[in-house]
Amino acid sequence: MKKELFYEGKGKKIFKTQDDDLFIAEFKDDLTAFNAEKKGKEEGKGKLNCKISTIIFEILKKNGIKTHLVKTISDNEQLIERCQIIPIEVLVRNIAAGSLSKRLGIKEGENLPFALVEFCLKDDKLGDPFINDEHCLLLNLVKDQNQIQTIKELARKINTILLDFFDQRNLKLVDFKIEFGLSKNQEIILADEISPDSCRLWDKNTNEKLDKDRFRQDLGNVKIAYEEILKRIMG
Ligand code: UDP
């Protein structure tokens, strides 16, 4: 049963339960972009993201990735294992877009020669700045270099699994953001969500954007795009 609110983020509320080791994640309809400078709401988005993220986490679990997901308990709620979130946003990119194109001048849509893994500090007040391995150690975000290695290896493995998964559904996985947590037994596990809020997904034939860029760039039909993603990954 849901008890008091533990944490509210931009896309989810996290509640305590009677069991100290379990939380409930409630997916919200709110949409934010550009470090919450742009705000919106899309009725039903929470349910869509909950379903999409659950399917993706189940696929990853089947492929040997440990995650915080226990099970879904309603249309927009997941029961999750309590873990201590490592405050690093791990970005994985296959195709140039977004801030990579802006920072380095690589044209949007250009295939990268290898999957690029980048880190941002998860800190809204600082605007989630890009950081490197040494910053992670300097700020004690991780215990040691081994943990950084583990995070990078898991991120690449998740990317390999998802590239193939989305490719089979006629989608290009352009880039995505993931977060990890430390479980009770100090293991690094996948946490947070993987949804069109945190990924860039393009139609393989037309390059049509089917993710949060529709909101960021005022392209319209945000919900229709998320529904299309759900339809393709369920099919
Ligand atoms: N991303 C995210 N949360 C963030 C920043 C990025 O989910 O706080 C995702 C974003 O949706 C994209 C990928 O990470 O799929 C790479 O984002 P980029 O750095 O290009 O972000 P932008 O500047 O476009 O927000």
Side-chain angles (χ1 to χ4, degrees):
M1 226 227 323
K2 234 172 177 172
K3 289 179 79 183
E4 73 264 32
L5 184 71
F6 172 75
Y7 173 84
E8 178 160 6
K10 292 188 283 257
K12 289 185 296 303
K13 286 181 185 170
I14 309 292
F15 294 90
K16 291 187 173 178
T17 67
Q18 298 104 316
D19 186 336
D20 264 356
D21 296 335
L22 296 173
F23 280 169
I24 289 172
E26 183 192 297
F27 287 70
K28 306 199 295 186
D29 287 342
D30 300 345
L31 275 160
T32 62
F34 314 120
N35 202 22
E37 271 171 40
K38 178 171 177 162
K39 290 194 176 101
K41 205 177 177 120
E42 192 73 40
E43 182 93 22
K45 195 258 315 181
K47 288 181 186 173
L48 285 164
N49 273 1
C50 182
K51 292 200 179 86
I52 293 168
S53 193
T54 300
I55 293 172
I56 295 173
F57 272 52
E58 294 293 353
I59 293 293
L60 292 172
K61 272 198 211 179
K62 269 194 208 130
N63 283 276
I65 304 288
K66 295 206 172 122
T67 85
H68 74 166
L69 177 67
V70 180
K71 59 178 181 183
T72 44
I73 52 170
S74 80
D75 277 355
N76 69 336
E77 292 168 311
Q78 292 176 337
L79 188 66
I80 57 175
E81 187 183 325
R82 181 180 192 157
C83 66
Q84 193 192 329
I85 293 289
I86 300 169
I88 301 174
E89 298 198 335
V90 182
L91 309 184
V92 184
R93 303 176 187 270
N94 300 302
I95 297 172
S99 70
L100 182 76
S101 296
K102 239 178 261 150
R103 274 184 295 136
L104 304 184
I106 308 173
K107 228 175 94 206
E108 182 183 88
E110 207 166 291
N111 286 317
L112 301 179
F114 56 87
L116 177 68
V117 179
E118 299 179 304
F119 294 147
C120 288
L121 176 64
K122 192 172 149 67
D123 186 324
D124 287 338
K125 272 191 242 112
L126 297 175
D128 298 342
F130 280 94
I131 52 173
N132 65 21
D133 296 19
E134 291 186 32
H135 294 120
C136 291
L137 294 169
L138 193 81
L139 295 171
N140 291 317
L141 307 179
V142 288
K143 205 173 64 192
D144 52 29
Q145 188 65 43
N146 281 341
Q147 287 196 329
I148 298 178
Q149 256 341 93
T150 303
I151 288 172
K152 284 188 183 169
E153 277 163 24
L154 284 170
R156 288 185 203 287
K157 189 167 174 203
I158 290 167
N159 185 48
T160 305
I161 298 163
L162 294 186
L163 265 177
D164 181 54
F165 174 75
F166 285 119
D167 182 69
Q168 287 175 31
R169 283 144 185 94
N170 219 32
L171 291 163
K172 286 184 192 171
L173 177 60
V174 175
D175 58 29
F176 60 97
K177 185 265 304 179
I178 43 179
E179 294 178 22
F180 293 97
L182 277 182
S183 69
K184 211 172 159 190
N185 51 10
Q186 299 300 299
E187 212 174 350
I188 296 178
I189 61 172
L190 180 66
D192 193 46
E193 69 181 272
I194 300 181
S195 73
D197 272 4
S198 60
C199 296
R200 285 195 172 91
L201 292 163
W202 296 353
D203 179 85
K204 212 161 93 181
N205 306 116
T206 63
N207 281 345
E208 188 188 4
K209 293 174 179 170
L210 296 169
D211 54 61
K212 199 165 86 172
D213 271 349
R214 301 207 70 85
F215 170 71
R216 290 191 189 93
Q217 301 171 6
D218 293 316
L219 300 174
N221 294 337
V222 178
K223 197 174 162 192
I224 290 174
Y226 285 39
E227 282 167 347
E228 178 65 23
I229 296 295
L230 179 62
K231 196 178 95 192
R232 290 200 199 180
I233 68 173
M234 279 189 352

